[in-house]
Structures are given as structure tokens and as C-alpha cells.
């Protein structure tokens, strides 16, 4: 489970599960590069440093390939290597039935939630091919395995993340690069708090708690624990997997 001195990129690190995971990894001795489109990622990095951790913030729009390339370059400049990554940045669902989605809403979801993972994977893998291996974790969702109603764009993007994860695992296993996805259930983050303000989502959410076998929603730190394991050698024979971290949602 040792991740001490590993250099890890975390995207979507300004908030929610990204911020919690960055903090948890740093508390276990990893050197963390926080990436986010929001500048409040700088404050999260500052907080980690105040607590004695090693962290840097790089402002990044994961939907832009040049930003993903610059993120990895900045990591290599600062720390000289890349051992792991948590590709987690994402945007919430539009809570609209498919026929009401605009082309722009569709394209934005695919650009951030799917192409964003591709862009980061590409440059992370280039760095790891140089150094001889690494471990990458992508955030999909329970919606990477089943449909969430009124979330066609989100469901499609997250299914895509699972496919991309398997493809990358197949392509780079021989070179010592492991790639896995986590499928979070409902996790108490600002994204879910915002979604709960939407009346359409509220109706769906009424039954959501019961769908989680543990009858509660998850905490961001519970995602961090799973990611820490997947980044460590404790998961050395795990690759191409889409692992539910969902309180039993997908099992019930
Ligand atoms: N919270 C849940 O219940 C839940 C469940 C399943 C999956 N997820 C997924 O988990 C991930 C994290 O979600 P969260 O709940 O912590 O949300 P959050 O909104 O708290 O955090 C998401 C972060 O991603 C950043 N971001 C958005 N677009 C970006 C871009 N283009 N480039 C870089 N950063 C960008 C945001 O600024 C924010 O800091 C997302 O991919 C989300 O789809 C969340």
C-alpha cells in the first residue's frame, strides 16, 4: 500500500473527491500535482503544504489537449518523473431527457468527461513509457455500467471512460502501465449538492439512497482510499478493471 515519494497527478483536484484524494495521497507521502480548471485548486495545494505535504497546482482544462500536455510537462519539470494519475475531473449531468439535450450540452459532456480523460491518459502514458511503468485510475461512475435517467450525455461519456480504460490497459500492460476505472456511487460532494437543487434530479434521488445497499451515500475520502490502493503495488495484478465503489448500488 506504500505510495511514499510517488509522483501523482490528480485532476479535478479543486473540489470533491479530487481534493479529498489529493490530500489523502499527500498525507501518505506522495508528491501530488493538483490540476483543475478552477484556481481554487491552488488553495487546496496550499492547504496540503501547510499540513506538511508536497503539492503543486497546475491550472488545467482537461478538455484541451495542449493543457494536458502542459500538465504532464510541468510535473516532469518539477519532480522529474510520473508514477501515477487519478483522472477525475468531470462535470455533472444536465438532468434532461435525451430529446431535450442541445448539441452543445452533448459536446461539452463528451469533451470534459470523456475526451478529458483521453487527453490526460495520452500524455501520462507517454511519460510512463519513458520511465518504465505506472498506475492510472480514471473516474467513471455507476453510470459507466448502467444508465442514469435523464443523463444520456453523462451515461455515454462514463461508459466511454470504462471502454477507454480497458483499451489503455490492453495496449500498455506489457510496458508495466496499469489502468483501472472506479465507478463511484453517490458521493457527498459539491457536484451532488448542486444536482440536488434540480427538481428532476430530486425525484430520481428519492429512490437513490435505497439503491445503495449500505443505505448511505459515500464520503470523498472513501474514494481516496480506493484510489490509493489502485495506485499502490497492493493492486499489482489489477488492470483494465472497472471497480464499483458505490455502497452496493450496482449489486442491488
Ligand atoms: N459525486 C458523485 O456522486 C459522483 C458519482 C460518480 C462519479 N462522479 C464523478 O467523479 C468526478 C469528481 O466529481 P465530484 O463529485 O468530486 O465533483 P466536484 O464538482 O466536486 O469536482 C469536480 C472538479 O472537476 C473540475 N473540473 C470541471 N471541469 C474541468 C475541466 N474541464 N478541466 C479540469 N477540471 C475540471 C471542477 O472545477 C471541480 O473542481 C467527476 O468525474 C464526476 O463525474 C461523481
Amino acid at each position: 500500500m506504500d505510495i511514499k515519494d510517488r509522483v501523482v497527478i490528480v485532476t479535478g483536484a479543486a473540489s470533491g473527491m479530487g481534493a479529498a484524494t489529493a490530500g489523502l495521497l499527500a498525507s501518505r507521502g506522495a508528491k501530488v500535482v493538483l490540476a483543475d480548471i478552477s484556481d481554487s485548486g491552488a488553495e487546496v495545494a496550499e492547504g496540503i503544504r501547510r499540513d506538511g505535504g508536497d503539492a503543486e497546482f497546475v491550472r488545467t482544462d482537461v478538455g484541451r489537449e495542449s493543457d494536458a500536455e502542459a500538465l504532464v510537462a510541468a510535473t516532469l519539470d518539477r519532480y522529474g518523473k510520473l508514477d501515477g494519475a487519478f483522472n477525475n475531473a468531470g462535470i455533472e449531468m444536465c438532468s434532461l431527457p435525451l430529446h431535450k439535450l442541445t448539441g452543445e450540452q452533448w459536446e461539452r459532456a463528451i469533451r470534459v468527461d470523456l475526451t478529458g480523460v483521453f487527453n490526460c491518459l495520452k500524455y501520462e502514458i507517454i511519460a510512463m513509457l519513458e520511465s518504465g511503468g505506472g498506475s492510472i485510475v480514471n473516474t467513471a461512475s455507476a453510470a459507466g455500467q448502467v444508465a442514469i435517467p435523464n443523463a444520456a450525455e453523462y451515461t455515454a461519456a462514463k461508459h466511454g471512460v470504462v471502454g477507454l480504460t480497458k483499451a489503455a490497459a490492453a495496449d500498455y500492460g506489457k510496458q508495466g502501465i496499469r489502468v483501472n476505472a472506479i465507478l463511484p456511487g453517490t458521493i457527498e460532494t459539491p457536484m451532488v449538492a448542486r444536482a440536488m437543487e434540480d427538481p428532476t434530479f430530486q425525484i430520481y434521488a428519492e429512490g437513490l439512497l435505497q439503491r445503495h445497499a449500505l443505505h448511505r451515500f459515500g464520503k470523498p475520502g472513501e474514494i481516496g482510499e480506493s484510489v490509493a490502493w489502485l495506485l499502490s503495488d497492493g493492486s499489482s495484478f489489477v488492470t483494465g478493471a472497472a471497480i464499483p465503489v458505490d455502497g452496493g448500488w450496482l449489486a442491488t
Side-chain angles (χ1 to χ4, degrees):
M1 296 287 285
D2 193 7
I3 50 168
K4 192 166 169 5
D5 293 329
R6 300 236 167 134
V7 177
V8 180
I9 287 173
V10 176
T11 73
S15 174
M17 48 182 98
T21 302
L24 186 140
L25 297 175
S27 73
R28 294 188 186 164
K31 300 170 194 303
V32 185
V33 179
L34 294 90
D36 205 289
I37 199 166
S38 161
D39 285 330
S40 53
E43 290 155 37
V44 179
E46 176 58 32
I48 290 174
R49 287 194 294 270
R50 266 200 309 273
D51 291 342
D54 193 338
E56 294 290 336
F57 171 67
V58 180
R59 191 181 181 284
T60 307
D61 176 353
V62 296
R64 293 166 60 105
E65 183 171 348
S66 56
D67 276 22
E69 184 176 18
L71 167 65
V72 173
T75 304
L76 296 178
D77 273 357
R78 171 72 178 84
Y79 293 112
K81 62 171 184 165
L82 178 67
D83 300 305
F86 180 35
N87 296 321
N88 162 77
I91 52 172
E92 53 261 54
M93 55 201 81
C94 297
S95 290
L96 289 171
L98 189 150
H99 73 282
K100 293 198 173 157
L101 274 179
T102 66
E104 272 163 36
Q105 287 170 319
W106 167 264
E107 281 181 8
R108 181 160 181 258
I110 298 300
R111 186 178 76 82
V112 179
D113 288 351
L114 180 55
T115 307
V117 176
F118 166 79
N119 288 338
C120 292
L121 267 178
K122 176 174 171 179
Y123 292 97
E124 289 157 3
I125 285 169
I126 290 171
M128 289 177 180
L129 285 172
E130 280 287 310
S131 62
S135 175
I136 301 175
V137 183
N138 299 322
T139 300
S141 164
Q145 195 169 309
V146 297
I148 291 182
N150 296 315
E153 81 297 353
Y154 188 81
T155 300
K158 295 299 190 180
H159 273 65
V161 170
V162 172
L164 194 52
T165 299
K166 291 176 182 172
D171 282 355
Y172 300 104
K174 261 194 234 162
Q175 286 101 326
I177 302 174
R178 296 187 297 112
V179 189
N180 292 289
I182 54 162
L183 314 183
T186 310
I187 310 298
E188 291 169 352
T189 68
M191 178 183 285
V192 165
R194 287 192 299 272
M196 289 293 186
E197 286 165 15
D198 187 309
T200 319
F201 188 80
Q202 275 169 17
I203 295 165
Y204 168 67
E206 276 172 26
L208 201 54
L209 192 62
Q210 277 66 40
R211 281 202 202 105
H212 292 64
L214 294 178
H215 279 253
R216 67 173 178 84
F217 294 147
K219 305 278 182 210
E222 294 180 289
I223 295 298
E225 291 289 352
S226 304
V227 174
W229 175 68
L230 285 167
L231 292 176
S232 78
D233 294 344
S235 60
S236 55
F237 202 52
V238 182
T239 195
I243 300 174
V245 188
D246 68 344
W249 173 354
L250 291 168
T252 59

